[in-house]
């Protein structure tokens, strides 16, 4: 039995789709998260997608693919993607992949300092 160790809590309001991702994003968990977000992107066609990574404890290349794929899909529907609250390790992975060069993707600095 495969244990689900990631969750995606979503909310849609006023043209903004927010997705709070929690847990480990790997090959197995990225699929479910991707399907959930994509379904809502096609349903609502938001102006903005916010991916809140504050509770992501691990992300491998599948997580990177999750982010890049949503950015590509959002570009097709005219939406902008905001990555918020990524930890230092996740920001490093994103930086090494060059995501800052993607026109419709914004990486925002952490808003809260951890104690």
């Amino acid at each position: 039995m495969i244990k689900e160790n990631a969750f995606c809590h979503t909310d849609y309001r006023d043209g903004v789709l927010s997705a709070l991702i929690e847990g480990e994003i790997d090959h197995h968990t990225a699929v479910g998260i991707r399907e959930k977000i994509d379904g809502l992107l096609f349903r609502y066609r938001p102006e903005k997608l916010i991916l809140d990574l504050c509770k992501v404890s691990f992300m491998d290349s599948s997580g990177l693919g999750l982010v890049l794929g949503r950015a590509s899909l959002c570009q097709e529907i005219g939406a902008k993607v905001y990555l918020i609250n990524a930890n230092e390790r996740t920001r490093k992975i994103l930086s090494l992949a060059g995501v800052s060069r993607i026109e419709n993707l914004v990486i925002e600095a952490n808003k809260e300092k951890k104690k």
Side-chain angles (χ1 to χ4, degrees):
M1 182 167 111
I2 296 175
K3 181 183 174 190
E4 284 291 322
N5 55 354
F7 304 94
C8 181
H9 310 280
T10 58
D11 182 52
Y12 176 78
R13 279 190 201 137
D14 302 323
V16 178
L17 176 60
S18 300
L20 171 64
I21 302 172
E22 181 177 350
E24 299 180 1
I25 306 174
D26 59 20
H27 174 72
H28 299 288
T29 59
V31 173
I33 294 169
R34 182 186 73 232
E35 289 173 353
K36 182 173 187 175
I37 293 171
D38 286 359
L40 294 171
L41 286 172
F42 284 117
R43 181 177 180 185
Y44 294 116
R45 300 210 175 258
E47 298 169 13
K48 182 190 289 189
L49 170 64
I50 298 174
L51 297 175
D52 189 340
L53 306 177
C54 71
K55 295 188 177 186
V56 172
S57 56
F58 171 83
M59 183 174 92
D60 64 8
S61 61
S62 298
L64 181 60
L66 174 75
V67 170
L68 295 175
R70 290 339 90 225
S72 178
L73 182 56
C74 283
Q75 188 170 22
E76 290 179 26
I77 65 171
K80 198 160 196 160
V81 179
Y82 292 83
L83 298 179
I84 64 171
N85 299 319
N87 64 34
E88 186 177 336
R89 179 179 289 160
T90 301
R91 283 193 314 271
K92 186 172 185 176
I93 291 169
L94 295 168
S95 176
L96 290 171
V99 298
S100 62
R101 293 178 283 162
I102 298 173
E103 188 174 313
N104 70 319
L105 190 137
V106 176
I107 301 173
E108 292 190 355
N110 290 353
K111 296 184 179 182
E112 296 181 11
K113 298 276 184 190
K114 291 187 178 179
K115 295 180 182 178

